[in-house]
Amino acid sequence: MYRFLKAALPFGLLALFLGHLADPGALLATRDVPIFHLPLRTALKQVVEFGAPVWNPMIHGGQPILSNPNYAAFYPPTWLLLLIPVHYSIGLIILLHAGIGFAGARRFARHLGCAEGPALMAGIGFAFGGATLATTSLLTTFCGLAWMPWILYGCDRWFAEAGRALNLRLAALPSAAFAAQILAGEPVIVLTTGLAAVSLALTAETHRAHKTARLVAISAVAVLLASAQLIPTYARLEGSARAEGLDRDETLEWSAHPRRVIELLWPRAWGDPMRIDEDLYFGWSVHDRQFPYLYSLYPGQLTVLLAFAALARWKIRHRLAWLAMIGGGLFLGAGAYNPLLLWLGRTTSVLSQIRYPEKLLLLSTVALVFAAALGWQRLLDARTEGDVPLEDFPVALAATLTGINMLLLIVLWKRPDVGEWFARTNSVLPLDAETQRHAATFLREELVTALIVSTASIVIFALHRWRSVPRLVLVPLTLALLVGDLYWYNRGLTPTVPAVDVMRPPAPLTTAGGDGERI
């Protein structure tokens, strides 16, 4: 029975968070999917029906297909569109890659020394965290991100092997996963994964020369496997404006303001970007393009609290690597808000190719997930060892957060004008009195939710100190709190619309007189 539940859990989580995408009549309706990826993949399918997918005559006066990674023509999951309707293939691809990401994060956590419970925490936090689900609207980014845990797992497993020999058997997994990530079509995710792999290499105990050789070997095999995409893309890039580097405005737009760090604990501090039509988003001034590139960064309160405890006080595996990844993601993601990065962007050719620095925050959110899983494992070990001082630290963190939530809630309850002022200050749009009152009510409700979750976190951490509570009860309760928290905040990140509304050709235009004559 236990094995059955263990095997069924990933499918249950996929159904809970993304099951609506399995509906053949639905289409994910966020940002790039309906207006960019759907047209490209529809054109790809139509062109394939007439022969080799070389040229798309239906967009921008015609454009080459195979050299454009946005088509992901060489990426095997894309070929689903040849068997089923294009819009349905997109939903299934998202479900498939969420499963790939979950399994990879879970396996990597097990490799790092986590028991099944913390490993599941890593899988849940990675696959269903706010930052990951926010990238579903950026399809190639989401697909590439799903391979990241497998690459890190394969690299770290090889780094840990002693000896000078290049064991190609151990290189197979990370090389194949890295090639798949390249073929998925998002270069910034490839860069992000490379930075994460280098961070792990720097903290691995193997000799530096051996680690370097293994990284080079993995990269070389991956490039060879992905050469079908890389060669035509490079040939096209050579004659494009991008070959000379993007201009300053392009490389710095959609930078992450430092204030976005608040969203790691209060994901809707600036309102809900998925509810603009209800006037419940008022963070326009927080973003240089008035709207977030990643709709959410939220990894769950438990994730943040456990990661902070582990990185601040506890000894966990690759602690310096996680700190480097978190710091590096925040540093690079800041873009225009980082004076040093402004200088580097003018002098470093790699950085001059990056658009939308906010993507690089994914380096930080991924590190938080694995640091939290290792932190929970350390807490469970301390429970077994009877290390009470170590167990007290996360209780204190959760209690502090609860106190802050309570204080903010009291302020907004007693002085609703403070909430109105906050919404008005962070919006570049004029807000009428009713909208301001609506925003203040929304902020109070969000603080009530945050208070409930932080109070539940106190209870969970306190139960870790209570030896009479068996682990068989403790682990499911902890995971249930994380799943409930993430579902509450992230369930709206993947809205759908009836596919027929998008796929149906528009009705013919008529004259203003309404006589039915087509124009």
Side-chain angles (χ1 to χ4, degrees):
M1 184 64 178
Y2 174 74
R3 290 184 178 179
F4 172 77
L5 291 174
K6 180 179 174 181
L9 179 62
F11 296 98
L13 291 168
L14 286 171
L16 177 65
F17 284 91
L18 297 171
H20 53 291
L21 298 181
D23 180 359
L27 172 70
L28 182 66
T30 52
R31 189 179 277 150
D32 287 358
V33 172
I35 65 173
F36 183 69
H37 293 293
L38 179 64
L40 289 188
R41 296 186 182 221
T42 300
L44 175 61
K45 182 172 184 174
Q46 292 174 348
V47 170
V48 167
E49 291 174 351
F50 291 99
V54 177
W55 184 260
N56 176 9
M58 294 173 279
I59 298 179
H60 301 150
Q63 62 177 215
I65 292 176
L66 299 182
S67 61
N68 186 343
N70 287 306
Y71 286 93
F74 293 103
Y75 187 52
T78 304
W79 305 340
L80 271 174
L81 60 80
L82 302 177
L83 305 175
I84 58 179
V86 178
H87 71 272
Y88 191 33
S89 74
I90 291 175
L92 293 186
I93 283 172
I94 291 173
L95 280 165
L96 171 65
H97 285 81
I100 290 171
F102 176 88
R106 180 179 178 179
R107 186 68 193 90
F108 184 31
R110 291 287 282 170
H111 163 76
L112 293 172
C114 291
E116 187 61 37
L120 286 171
M121 171 177 277
I124 293 167
F126 178 83
F128 307 114
T132 301
L133 291 182
T135 63
T136 55
S137 65
L138 316 163
L139 189 59
T140 54
T141 300
F142 181 75
C143 292
L145 184 62
W147 294 104
M148 186 173 180
W150 288 106
I151 298 169
L152 299 184
Y153 161 58
C155 288
D156 195 57
R157 186 174 63 158
W158 201 13
F159 294 156
E161 186 188 57
R164 299 182 180 181
L166 292 180
N167 189 333
L168 296 183
R169 179 181 61 83
L170 291 178
L173 174 61
S175 298
F178 196 23
Q181 189 178 70
I182 294 171
L183 293 174
E186 177 47 66
V188 174
I189 292 299
V190 175
L191 172 63
T192 302
T193 303
L195 293 172
V198 169
S199 299
L200 292 179
L202 292 175
T203 56
E205 296 180 357
T206 315
H207 192 278
R208 181 182 301 175
H210 300 166
K211 293 182 291 188
T212 302
R214 291 168 187 181
L215 271 177
V216 171
I218 290 169
S219 302
V221 174
V223 167
L224 181 63
L225 292 173
S227 58
Q229 180 67 74
L230 291 174
I231 291 173
T233 299
Y234 179 78
R236 184 181 180 188
L237 180 66
E238 198 172 21
S240 70
R242 201 171 191 133
E244 301 176 0
L246 300 171
D247 63 42
R248 182 176 180 274
D249 290 337
E250 286 184 288
T251 58
L252 295 178
E253 68 176 348
W254 247 326
S255 298
H257 195 285
R259 282 187 286 172
R260 290 213 70 185
V261 175
I262 294 174
E263 296 175 38
L264 294 174
L265 283 172
W266 295 280
R268 296 173 184 163
W270 324 109
D272 188 345
M274 309 306 294
R275 298 171 69 183
I276 297 178
D277 56 340
E278 301 175 50
D279 292 326
L280 286 179
Y281 181 71
F282 39 83
W284 307 101
S285 69
V286 180
H287 309 281
D288 56 6
R289 289 190 61 172
Q290 300 184 345
F291 200 72
Y293 187 76
L294 296 175
Y295 296 140
S296 174
L297 303 177
Y298 188 58
Q301 273 192 31
L302 280 177
T303 298
V304 177
L305 294 173
L306 284 168
F308 183 84
L311 296 172
R313 296 279 296 274
W314 303 342
K315 292 182 180 179
I316 60 172
R317 187 170 177 181
H318 290 309
R319 181 171 175 236
L320 291 179
W322 310 128
L323 286 170
M325 290 168 64
I326 293 170
L330 294 175
F331 177 84
L332 294 171
Y337 302 103
N338 185 338
L340 181 57
L341 199 62
L342 293 177
W343 175 78
L344 288 174
R346 290 191 292 266
T347 59
T348 307
S349 59
V350 173
L351 293 178
S352 69
Q353 297 293 327
I354 296 175
R355 297 176 67 199
Y356 314 147
E358 195 169 303
K359 295 179 187 178
L360 291 161
L361 290 180
L362 292 167
L363 184 62
S364 301
T365 58
V366 169
L368 279 172
V369 166
F370 290 109
L374 288 166
W376 189 23
Q377 183 61 55
R378 182 70 187 91
L379 185 60
L380 291 171
D381 292 341
R383 184 173 187 263
T384 303
E385 298 162 3
D387 190 349
V388 175
L390 186 144
E391 296 172 328
D392 285 341
F393 188 47
V395 176
L397 288 176
T400 301
L401 180 59
T402 300
I404 295 172
N405 288 331
M406 180 67 76
L407 177 62
L408 292 174
L409 182 58
I410 291 172
V411 170
L412 291 185
W413 201 276
K414 296 289 187 181
R415 294 287 305 275
D417 58 301
V418 173
E420 296 172 10
W421 166 83
F422 183 83
R424 186 172 61 251
T425 301
N426 287 288
S427 177
V428 296
L429 303 177
L431 303 180
D432 57 35
E434 182 179 354
T435 301
Q436 292 180 46
R437 287 193 296 271
H438 196 192
T441 300
F442 172 82
L443 288 172
R444 285 198 302 271
E445 292 172 348
E446 286 300 306
L447 281 172
V448 169
T449 304
L451 181 61
I452 292 172
V453 177
S454 61
T455 303
S457 298
I458 294 177
V459 174
I460 289 294
F461 290 139
L463 288 176
H464 280 74
R465 298 184 76 256
W466 196 359
R467 300 296 188 273
S468 61
V469 179
R471 184 176 291 199
L472 192 61
V473 173
L474 192 59
V475 169
L477 284 176
T478 306
L479 292 176
L481 176 58
L482 177 62
V483 169
D485 185 18
L486 291 178
Y487 178 73
W488 176 262
Y489 281 109
N490 298 336
R491 69 190 189 282
L493 295 175
T494 53
T496 60
V497 296
V500 67
D501 292 349
V502 180
M503 303 297 289
R504 181 194 299 126
L509 297 176
T510 60
T511 60
D515 58 5
E517 181 184 352
R518 296 184 181 184
I519 58 173

Short mmCIF file of all heavy atoms in Angstrom, two decimals, residues 28 60 86 126 149 327 336 406 431 459:
data_model
loop_
_atom_site.label_atom_id
_atom_site.label_comp_id
_atom_site.label_asym_id
_atom_site.label_seq_id
_atom_site.Cartn_x
_atom_site.Cartn_y
_atom_site.Cartn_z
N LEU A 28 -3.85 27.01 -22.21
CA LEU A 28 -3.23 27.93 -21.27
C LEU A 28 -3.27 29.33 -21.86
O LEU A 28 -2.86 29.55 -23.00
CB LEU A 28 -1.79 27.50 -21.00
CG LEU A 28 -1.01 28.34 -19.98
CD1 LEU A 28 -1.61 28.21 -18.59
CD2 LEU A 28 0.46 27.91 -19.96
N HIS A 60 5.60 37.56 -40.30
CA HIS A 60 6.60 38.59 -40.59
C HIS A 60 7.12 38.52 -42.02
O HIS A 60 8.30 38.74 -42.28
CB HIS A 60 7.79 38.45 -39.62
CG HIS A 60 7.39 38.58 -38.19
ND1 HIS A 60 8.06 37.94 -37.18
CD2 HIS A 60 6.37 39.25 -37.60
CE1 HIS A 60 7.47 38.20 -36.02
NE2 HIS A 60 6.45 38.99 -36.25
N VAL A 86 -2.57 21.11 -31.80
CA VAL A 86 -1.43 21.87 -31.29
C VAL A 86 -1.69 22.41 -29.88
O VAL A 86 -0.84 22.30 -29.01
CB VAL A 86 -1.10 23.04 -32.25
CG1 VAL A 86 0.05 23.86 -31.69
CG2 VAL A 86 -0.75 22.51 -33.62
N PHE A 126 10.08 22.61 -6.14
CA PHE A 126 10.63 22.93 -7.45
C PHE A 126 9.55 22.95 -8.52
O PHE A 126 9.43 23.91 -9.28
CB PHE A 126 11.71 21.92 -7.84
CG PHE A 126 12.29 22.18 -9.21
CD1 PHE A 126 13.29 23.11 -9.37
CD2 PHE A 126 11.80 21.52 -10.33
CE1 PHE A 126 13.81 23.38 -10.64
CE2 PHE A 126 12.30 21.78 -11.59
CZ PHE A 126 13.31 22.71 -11.75
N PRO A 149 17.20 20.08 -12.47
CA PRO A 149 17.59 19.19 -11.38
C PRO A 149 18.32 17.94 -11.85
O PRO A 149 19.23 17.45 -11.16
CB PRO A 149 16.24 18.83 -10.73
CG PRO A 149 15.29 19.88 -11.16
CD PRO A 149 15.75 20.30 -12.52
N GLY A 327 22.68 34.38 -3.97
CA GLY A 327 23.28 35.70 -4.16
C GLY A 327 23.48 36.03 -5.63
O GLY A 327 23.23 37.16 -6.06
N ALA A 336 19.18 46.49 -14.18
CA ALA A 336 19.37 47.95 -14.19
C ALA A 336 19.48 48.52 -12.79
O ALA A 336 19.95 49.66 -12.63
CB ALA A 336 18.21 48.62 -14.92
N MET A 406 0.96 39.65 12.46
CA MET A 406 -0.06 40.14 13.39
C MET A 406 -0.01 41.66 13.51
O MET A 406 -1.04 42.34 13.48
CB MET A 406 0.15 39.50 14.76
CG MET A 406 -0.86 39.93 15.82
SD MET A 406 -2.53 39.34 15.46
CE MET A 406 -2.32 37.61 15.93
N LEU A 431 -5.88 55.86 -8.73
CA LEU A 431 -6.86 54.94 -8.15
C LEU A 431 -7.98 55.73 -7.51
O LEU A 431 -7.73 56.61 -6.69
CB LEU A 431 -6.19 54.05 -7.09
CG LEU A 431 -4.98 53.21 -7.53
CD1 LEU A 431 -4.45 52.40 -6.35
CD2 LEU A 431 -5.35 52.30 -8.69
N VAL A 459 3.32 25.58 14.69
CA VAL A 459 2.82 24.29 15.19
C VAL A 459 3.65 23.14 14.61
O VAL A 459 4.06 22.23 15.34
CB VAL A 459 1.34 24.12 14.82
CG1 VAL A 459 0.85 22.72 15.19
CG2 VAL A 459 0.49 25.18 15.52
#
